[in-house]
Structure formats: structure tokens, C-alpha cells
Amino acid sequence: MNNLRWNATAPGSLFDKGVVGRRAMTFPRWDGEDMDSSLPEDICRASAADLPSLSEPEVMRHFTQLSTLNHHIERGMYPLGSCTMKYNPRVNEKIAGLSGLADLHPEQSVDDIQGLLGALKLLEKSLCTLTGFDSCSLIPAAGAHGEYLGMLVIRAFHLAREDHDRVEILIPDSAHGTNPASVVIAGMKPRTINSRSDGRIDLDALREAVGPQTAGIMITNPNTLGLFETDIREVSEIIHEAGGRLYMDGANMNAIMGKARPGDMGFDVVHLNLHKTMSTPHGGGGPGAGPICVTEELAPFLPGPWIKEEAEGRFTLDHVPAEGSTGIHSYFGNVGVLLRALAYVLRLGGNGLTRASEVAVLNANYLLKRLGDVMDVQHDKGCLHEFVASGSSWKKEYGIRTLDIAKRMLDFGIHAPTIYFPLIVDEAFMVEPTETESRESLDHLVDVLHTIHQEAQENPEMVKGAPHTTPAGRLDEANAARNPDLRWAGPCNCG
Ligand SMILES: *Cc1c(COP(=O)(O)O)cnc(C)c1O
């Protein structure tokens, strides 16, 4: 009897479905001349691969069912702090999929890809306008990759001036974890600067830390507490006077588009996370694009190929001079992601981008205010695109941890927020609603947290055992991350 029940939570394997010989498509018979299409014997398999044999509807149903097992932005809210998980306009997908763009091959001649080069150049210019810089490299494939390239550029700049000992990059303690990692991979040394009690950089600590070893500073602005670095001009003066350069982690640009430009604040390099700010879908490790924009002084150190506008509407590729960084990514980076970003920028325009940031900040402040009833919010004077609440009073009073709250939210159709980050807030609970959530969905989040708060007092086991309605309950997350086993291990004779 049980076997007859449709199991929504365990759709099984493709290998268990279908019937030998069934097909999703057939090719028309070839009625041209016979061609010798045989492959060399030594690269052929000994026997046919044991692949599932399914019809198109079976495949469609299988993958559609799988897609409903996981939470995603098309299914419900995703208030994952520091990630800007916003809804992605479908028109971007359509544009990136146009055959004149999607079907190009990177080895095609420059004459064949003029349209694509024009589109990429337009995106470079748009990002320079948005950030206040002169030059842009679209090549990095992720935010952290942009950081890495930015560090290589700063290092190359110092080396070109025979300034060999500048190897230290200062990093505030509120930084994203990728920042110090990128510094190390680029061959430099991170050094932590403490934040003041208001969550911003301590200028005295900064003055003490700079010296002839200072290559630069890396600042996330707005920072991971959702706060704008108000003393950024002073920071810029201190660093530049010491001979260093300023790198801005611009992953949080969603908060300040059209309001403030890193180039105007005194930064020398910024990276953007197009897969966050410009809405390309992300999560699960990609795809992404983390372009960097730089000042004129640093432009010679960008990797190639550089797209040059030779005459109006006519583009050429310039190969990298010796100073340029190499080996960053093949060709022009993740072109599909770049095209989605351009579609987003062009459709919104300058005013639209500004409005997106305004609503993102408004939504975050609305939640900050309303969640103050149930959670501790340290920096309650207002935030930018996100804020960090704390569940430490829940832990003290009800023995409920932030992890439990986050897990229980899944039962109400909301993705868990970012938890235990940044490390400087106890039981951190970091919320970034983004501009694409409506007032009703923000209110739903508030109602859910009030409900969980009540449960924490009346029925804490309900919260501690959550989630109860998802396909899998509590997972061994550390083990899943360190020893992922992604292969189907079910009954199949795949040998
Ligand atoms: C997301 C993020 C990054 C890293 O970007 P990836 O694309 O995940 O490599 C870096 N800094 C901040 C502040 C971020 O939010």
C-alpha cells in the first residue's frame, strides 16, 4: 500500500524510473551520404553506459519535483544577510539567452563578436559611472575572485615602484571572511583592526597600525553590520599618507547605488558582486561575476584582454602589457552573468538603481524597527541594507539558540537568515530583506518571529527540534560541507 503513495519528499532517482528503450527525443533518419563517423576504438567504452531511459514528461516531473524540495527565491523570502538574495527579473534571462549572444564561441574572430564586445564595454562604463572610477575589469568570476585580483593589482602597483616591502593589508574585524583569505592567496599579510563600540573603524588603532609595510586597507562599506563607515575620508587620508591604497569590498553596493560612489570616497579599487547587486540568481556556489573598478593609476595592472573602442561602435581587443595580471579567468569572464547585469542596469537606469537601493534600505529599517520587540538589536539607530540582531536573550531565558530560530523559520516558508556572522555579535542573526520583498512579506517575517518567540516560552522543544516540515530535518552540516557525498547510491547496476 505504502508503495502506491506519491512521496513528495523523496522523488527517488532517475535510475528507478522509465523503461529500457524509452526516449525523450528521436532524431530524424539521416538520408545524406554515408559518412565515416566512427571513433578510434581505444577511446570507446566496452559496453553502453547504463543511463536512465525516460520520456520528456518523466524528466520534467522529476526535476520540477526536485526543485520544490529546496527553498529558493521563487518560492519564498530569502533574508540571508550579506548575500542580497533578491528576485531576478525574468527579462534578464531572456536577454542573456538571445542566440546572437548565447551561441557565440569565445574563439570566434573579433569581427564576429562586435555586438558582445559593445555590450561588455557598455557594462564596464556603467559600472565605472556607478562606482566613480576610470577603468573596469569584468573578468573575475566571484566577489572573492575580484578581491583576489584587486590584491594582485595593488601588489603589482607597489612592485612596479620597487616598493617591495609593502605586504600588509589592514582589515577591520567586521570584515567578510573572504577578505583576509584573498589577501593571503595574493601573497600578502592581513592585519586586523578593531572596530569601535559603534561598529565603525577605530581611527586611533588605524594610525598606530600604518607604516612602510602598509600595502593598503580592505574595507567593506557598508560593513557587515549594515553600517556606513562615516570616517571614510579620514581613513583614506591616513592610508594614502602612509603610501597604501584603499580597497573597497563593494558586495554591499545594493545599499548605496546612486547615493555614494567609492571613487569619490577615496578608494582606489572596488569589486562589485553582480550576482548580488545586479540580481543574477546565485547560491550553491555560482555562477557569479565580481568585476573590479580602479583608478587611472592602477588601470595598467588590470588583466587582459582589454576591450578598446577604436571608433564609434567598433571594438578591438588589446593584449595585456607586461604589468597586467594574468591567469585570472579564460576569455572575458562569466559572460552570461555579465549580460544579465547589463540588462538589469539598462532596464532600471540610474534612477531605477537609486530607487532599488532606497527601497532595500527602507525594507531593512522597517524590519529592524519591528523586530526590536522580539530580538536584541545593537545598532538600533538605523541601518543600511541589512542589520544584525542577536538571539542572546533567547539563549539566556529559554535555552533557544539562534540556530534553532533559523531552523524553525524554514517551517514557515522563510529561508534562514545568516547566523553566527559577523563573529563580533553574540548569537548573530543577520537579516537582509532586499528591495524585492513587499510590505506583506516583511510583515509575514515579523509575525513568524513573534510566533516562534511565543513557542520558545511555551513549547521550546518545538523550536529545538525544527524544522518539522522540510524534506530533511536537522543535518550534520559540518560533515555535509567537509565530506559531501553527492552521488546517487541507490539500487542501480552502474558498476
Ligand atoms: C558575498 C560577499 C563576498 C564574497 O563574494 P562571493 O561572490 O561569494 O565570492 C565578499 N564580501 C562580502 C561583504 C560579501 O557579502
Side-chain angles (χ1 to χ4, degrees):
M1 200 41 206
N2 237 355
N3 286 344
L4 294 178
R5 276 194 29 218
W6 183 68
N7 190 343
T9 56
S13 153
L14 279 176
F15 289 92
D16 300 336
K17 295 179 181 159
V19 168
V20 175
R22 185 170 291 163
R23 294 208 183 299
M25 58 158 73
T26 50
F27 294 101
R29 234 172 55 89
W30 171 250
D31 54 7
E33 266 176 52
D34 270 0
M35 287 188 297
D36 181 15
S37 56
S38 53
L39 295 170
E41 205 147 308
D42 56 330
I43 63 166
C44 289
R45 16 182 357 131
S47 57
D50 185 13
L51 298 175
S53 306
L54 303 161
S55 67
E56 185 171 317
E58 284 171 320
V59 175
M60 286 306 293
R61 284 178 186 162
H62 176 75
F63 285 107
T64 303
Q65 216 177 326
L66 277 185
S67 77
T68 63
L69 297 186
N70 221 346
H71 190 85
H72 44 90
I73 193 77
E74 283 80 15
R75 204 176 170 201
M77 193 186 187
Y78 215 125
L80 194 63
S82 201
C83 286
T84 314
M85 297 294 271
K86 57 190 188 183
Y87 176 76
N88 309 286
R90 279 299 168 270
V91 67
N92 300 353
E93 300 299 314
K94 203 153 185 155
I95 286 171
L98 290 174
S99 76
L101 296 167
D103 296 345
L104 295 177
H105 190 278
E107 292 286 358
Q108 267 176 276
S109 83
V110 173
D111 289 335
D112 277 357
I113 57 168
Q114 286 291 308
L116 175 66
L117 296 181
L120 296 179
K121 195 73 208 171
L122 183 56
L123 180 60
E124 284 184 9
K125 284 185 190 162
S126 309
L127 299 182
C128 283
T129 305
L130 188 66
T131 55
F133 283 104
D134 302 294
S135 294
C136 173
S137 170
L138 299 174
I139 290 178
H145 202 195
E147 293 169 19
Y148 168 66
L149 176 59
M151 288 301 109
L152 290 185
V153 165
I154 290 178
R155 180 85 181 122
F157 166 76
H158 291 307
L159 288 177
R161 304 198 312 174
E162 313 256 315
D163 216 345
H164 298 277
D165 297 333
R166 292 195 182 271
V167 289
E168 215 170 74
I169 296 281
L170 303 168
I171 301 188
D173 58 4
S174 61
H176 194 265
T178 51
N179 292 182
S182 302
V183 170
V184 171
I185 294 174
M188 292 192 283
K189 290 192 193 124
R191 173 165 168 182
T192 306
I193 299 286
N194 291 336
S195 302
R196 301 185 307 229
S197 59
D198 70 352
R200 285 150 180 123
I201 296 175
D202 185 337
L203 292 181
D204 293 330
L206 185 63
R207 280 192 197 95
E208 256 165 57
V210 293
Q213 77 288 355
T214 305
I217 190 167
M218 211 171 178
I219 305 173
T220 305
N221 196 25
N223 68 18
T224 53
L225 295 169
L227 302 176
F228 193 79
E229 289 291 351
T230 41
D231 298 328
I232 198 66
R233 284 240 181 242
E234 284 83 347
V235 172
S236 163
E237 272 164 32
I238 296 168
I239 295 292
H240 281 125
E241 241 161 63
R245 291 294 175 268
L246 271 76
Y247 183 96
M248 181 169 126
D249 176 336
N252 296 332
M253 197 71 194
N254 206 49
I256 56 171
M257 289 186 291
K259 297 286 178 191
R261 306 195 309 168
D264 300 338
M265 296 172 212
F267 283 100
D268 301 278
V269 192
V270 67
H271 89 255
L272 298 178
N273 280 48
L274 299 191
H275 47 288
K276 296 178 182 172
T277 311
M278 305 302 175
S279 94
T280 295
H282 71 111
I292 65 170
C293 297
V294 302
T295 54
E296 212 173 342
E297 163 189 77
L298 297 179
F301 304 99
L302 291 179
W306 297 344
I307 302 169
K308 281 255 157 82
E309 187 161 11
E310 215 180 37
E312 174 104 34
R314 167 81 209 158
F315 301 91
T316 52
L317 292 180
D318 222 17
H319 285 283
V320 218
E323 295 90 352
S325 324
T326 52
I328 294 299
H329 194 287
S330 51
Y331 306 109
F332 310 111
N334 271 339
V335 168
V337 177
L338 300 173
L339 291 170
R340 284 172 174 83
L342 180 62
Y344 182 77
V345 169
L346 291 181
R347 201 171 75 117
L348 268 71
N351 290 338
L353 294 177
T354 307
R355 182 88 188 121
S357 283
E358 286 170 354
V359 177
V361 171
L362 178 65
N363 278 357
N365 278 284
Y366 180 74
L367 281 184
L368 173 77
K369 201 88 202 150
R370 292 213 54 204
L371 286 184
D373 295 347
V374 279
M375 301 205 72
D376 318 303
V377 183
Q378 238 182 1
H379 303 277
D380 58 359
K381 292 210 179 65
C383 61
L384 288 184
H385 60 299
E386 66 190 1
F387 61 91
V388 185
S390 162
S392 66
S393 66
W394 294 48
K395 188 168 69 177
K396 252 181 260 135
E397 285 165 40
Y398 325 120
I400 299 280
R401 295 173 309 152
T402 295
L403 175 74
D404 304 318
I405 307 172
K407 293 287 183 199
R408 184 66 178 136
M409 286 169 72
L410 302 178
D411 288 328
F412 294 91
I414 301 179
H415 191 279
T418 298
I419 54 174
Y420 301 107
F421 178 83
L423 306 174
I424 48 182
V425 175
D426 182 46
E427 293 291 314
F429 184 95
M430 185 190 211
V431 176
E432 179 180 12
T434 83
E435 73 279 11
T436 58
E437 292 307 318
S438 65
R439 165 93 184 257
E440 295 74 48
S441 87
L442 302 179
D443 287 339
H444 174 61
L445 175 79
V446 174
D447 290 345
V448 164
L449 275 164
H450 276 98
T451 304
I452 302 174
H453 191 232
Q454 199 146 8
E455 285 175 351
Q457 298 161 66
E458 293 162 6
N459 184 9
E461 292 316 310
M462 176 65 111
V463 185
K464 285 182 195 164
H468 304 286
T469 59
T470 49
R474 291 233 178 164
L475 302 171
D476 178 348
E477 288 169 5
N479 204 22
R482 304 228 164 97
N483 307 303
D485 180 4
L486 305 175
R487 284 181 47 170
W488 170 251
C492 85
N493 50 354
C494 339

